[in-house]
Amino acid sequence: MPATIVVGAQWGDEGKGKATDYLADRMDVCVRYQGGNNAGHTVIAEGRELKLHLIPSGILYDHVTSVISGGVVVDPRVLLAEMDELRSLGVEVSRLVVSGNAHLIMPYHLELEKVTERHLGRNALGTTKRGIGPAYADKAARIGLRVQDLFDQKIFRQKLDVVLKEKNLILTKVYNRLPLEPEGIVADYMGFAERLAPHVTDTAKLIHDQLSAGKSVLLEGAQGTMLDLDHGTYPFVTSSNPVAGHALASAGVGPHWVDAVIGVTKAYVTRVGAGPFPTEDLGQAGETMVKRGAEFGTTTGRRRRCGWFDAVLLRYAERLNGFTELILTKLDVLSGFPSVKVCTAYRVDGQIYEDAPPHQSLFHRAEPVYEELPGWREEIDGIRSFDDLPPAARKYVDRIHDLVGVATRMVSVGPAREQSLSVP
Ligand code: GDP
């Protein structure tokens, strides 16, 4: 199996951490391909809970080379702290490599994101304020500093002086903040450089060489399809492209290497922050999902909005990514509901849409058309074989297959590794 892409099919937090952990066992290389330390994978392995914000979950396996590819933005301070934390838990981090092309998150990115979000007031996007959006903006504006710049102090200082001049004008004149001094930034970043040096390499070449040698590569996205900068619910999106196509651009490999695209979806839907969410349930059902699913963000602790499974959304994600199979997580959270609802279409101004409406204003006004299926009372987190699931739970999984046209490969009934049921 050459390259496999794992993509979140919803608004992120689908359990990609667990899904990639499940798949990584059979992989030689795991690559994180976009975003920054705004992701939060929670992985439970051998009884330990690990929260990974930037490093791919493959790091938990000694045989896996973990890669942060060029399309990721890296806050070196956060990366080093995460490496230290993993080390303190006994996880080997020497097999982590970072692309020299990845862009750096700089102190002014954090500062600017804080003040601009405040300035937007009630129109704020609800970003994670980790400087990720501003770092991607500078990348597009071609004024970004890259990981490789850390290893040429003269160039680093030159580039920093140019950028900082403008950033300080914005900070002081527009937002009435204090300017940032270059000396402190250079000292900090040169310290980071020394520690990161053994990990930095041409990751596109590394990935290509591994594929050419017949090794298996897992390309892991952060966030989810509905947060894609181009295909998501703009502007309530992330500042990069989680969709499968972007995995190739970021990793630097051609499409012919890919033979599987796995969509990870919850058995219901959650969303963090502002923006449209047709199946959001503001009543008791949504509350139950928050409680049973512990729906609070790994990175931010924010309460997630919850609602019923949305087949329109998943069909949209399937079309954009070309899923070859699905991983369905958190089915255990739906135990106890007398019936479970599945959104099969949207109704907007009296018209029925079976696919995502072509204009976002329609999406904002979309009302879900539900199909109601029988629920199951039993807790299923102790079940270890798909065939032992209550018939209603199996029917639910089958119905999702019918509605989306993609088969589920694994159903997850709890956060632990062993709570993963292969679907026959
Ligand atoms: P990711 O960013 O897509 O990896 O998602 P997160 O890790 O932020 O959120 C998933 C959360 O759900 C984590 O706390 C996981 O431990 C947990 N989780 C994953 N799969 C399951 C499951 O099948 N059932 C339950 N109850 N929790 C799960």
Side-chain angles (χ1 to χ4, degrees):
M1 196 160 68
T4 299
I5 304 178
V6 174
V7 190
Q10 301 168 323
W11 275 289
D13 311 313
E14 298 91 348
K16 293 177 297 296
K18 165 150 185 194
T20 51
D21 178 65
Y22 171 78
L23 299 162
D25 204 4
R26 281 152 276 176
M27 298 290 161
D28 300 295
V29 181
C30 282
V31 183
R32 166 77 180 277
Y33 65 77
Q34 43 73 231
N37 53 300
N38 51 347
H41 285 335
T42 313
V43 182
I44 299 191
E46 284 147 25
R48 288 181 312 174
E49 188 180 270
L50 289 174
K51 292 190 193 302
L52 299 169
H53 299 297
L54 187 59
I55 298 175
S57 3
I59 195 80
L60 302 178
Y61 291 95
D62 288 342
H63 69 277
V64 170
T65 301
S66 291
V67 179
I68 294 177
S69 67
V72 176
V73 288
V74 174
D75 186 330
R77 190 190 307 271
V78 175
L79 176 59
L80 287 164
E82 196 162 302
M83 287 162 69
D84 287 341
E85 194 189 334
L86 284 168
R87 238 185 246 116
S88 75
L89 290 165
V91 177
E92 180 57 53
V93 292
S94 61
R95 296 175 78 100
L96 173 71
V97 292
V98 182
S99 168
N101 288 350
H103 277 247
L104 290 168
I105 296 177
M106 303 294 292
Y108 45 82
H109 292 137
L110 296 160
E111 192 63 20
L112 281 166
E113 190 164 28
K114 226 186 316 172
V115 288
T116 47
E117 272 286 280
R118 207 178 297 150
H119 185 74
L120 284 169
R122 64 183 186 85
N123 293 318
L125 297 169
T127 76
T128 50
K129 300 196 185 68
R130 289 182 165 70
I132 291 154
Y136 274 117
D138 281 1
K139 174 182 179 177
R142 287 154 295 170
I143 53 167
L145 274 78
R146 298 190 292 172
V147 168
Q148 56 183 280
D149 295 326
L150 289 170
F151 307 104
D152 186 331
Q153 188 169 345
K154 200 167 138 218
I155 288 285
F156 183 88
R157 179 66 201 245
Q158 267 173 17
K159 288 189 178 180
L160 179 65
D161 282 341
V162 172
V163 188
L164 205 53
K165 213 161 127 191
E166 190 215 358
K167 301 294 180 195
N168 276 340
L169 278 173
I170 301 173
L171 281 170
T172 55
K173 304 273 187 237
V174 180
Y175 295 108
N176 207 16
R177 309 289 297 179
L178 291 172
L180 299 173
E181 298 300 334
E183 287 75 20
I185 299 178
V186 172
D188 283 351
Y189 278 65
M190 289 306 115
F192 302 148
E194 209 174 304
R195 295 192 55 203
L196 279 179
H199 299 275
V200 177
T201 190
D202 178 348
T203 56
K205 177 159 176 14
L206 180 147
I207 295 166
H208 183 267
D209 290 350
Q210 293 280 319
L211 286 168
S212 301
K215 304 286 187 190
S216 299
V217 174
L218 184 76
L219 301 159
E220 158 188 354
Q223 291 89 40
T225 302
M226 297 307 291
L227 293 172
D228 188 273
L229 180 58
D230 289 289
H231 299 285
T233 47
Y234 190 89
F236 306 103
V237 291
T238 198
S239 40
S240 60
N241 293 99
V243 292
H246 182 64
L248 304 170
S250 170
V253 297
H256 65 287
W257 289 109
V258 179
D259 69 351
V261 181
I262 301 175
V264 184
T265 174
K266 277 182 196 176
Y268 50 100
V269 183
T270 66
R271 166 162 210 175
V272 174
F277 178 178
T279 64
E280 179 170 22
D281 188 297
L282 297 167
Q284 192 50 49
E287 196 53 45
T288 304
M289 290 171 197
V290 172
K291 283 213 186 87
R292 287 187 53 91
E295 293 297 353
F296 297 92
T298 313
T299 297
T300 58
R302 282 188 288 182
R303 183 187 189 278
R304 297 175 183 144
R305 300 155 64 194
C306 288
W308 295 108
F309 186 84
D310 187 340
V312 183
L313 216 72
L314 196 58
R315 281 196 293 265
Y316 178 68
E318 192 286 313
R319 173 154 65 72
L320 292 168
N321 293 291
F323 294 142
T324 55
E325 50 205 338
L326 297 174
I327 285 182
L328 184 71
T329 65
K330 298 191 118 172
L331 189 64
D332 53 304
V333 173
L334 296 185
S335 283
F337 285 105
S339 65
V340 282
K341 291 201 265 188
V342 175
C343 168
T344 57
Y346 298 149
R347 185 180 291 111
V348 193
D349 306 334
Q351 199 180 326
I352 297 292
Y353 291 86
E354 290 191 348
D355 199 348
H359 194 291
Q360 205 170 302
S361 301
L362 301 173
F363 191 62
H364 277 262
R365 296 206 300 279
E367 286 170 32
V369 175
Y370 283 122
E371 174 178 301
E372 211 153 332
L373 301 170
W376 56 95
R377 231 173 260 290
E378 316 79 313
E379 293 295 346
I380 57 173
D381 55 338
I383 289 178
R384 295 292 173 266
S385 155
F386 182 78
D387 292 330
D388 293 338
L389 284 173
R394 270 182 283 144
K395 229 174 244 157
Y396 185 74
V397 177
D398 287 347
R399 187 65 188 132
I400 289 174
H401 183 169
D402 291 345
L403 287 168
V404 183
V406 184
T408 294
R409 164 196 184 141
M410 185 269 268
V411 171
S412 173
V413 293
R417 257 184 203 166
E418 58 277 12
Q419 290 169 306
S420 310
L421 318 181
S422 302
V423 181

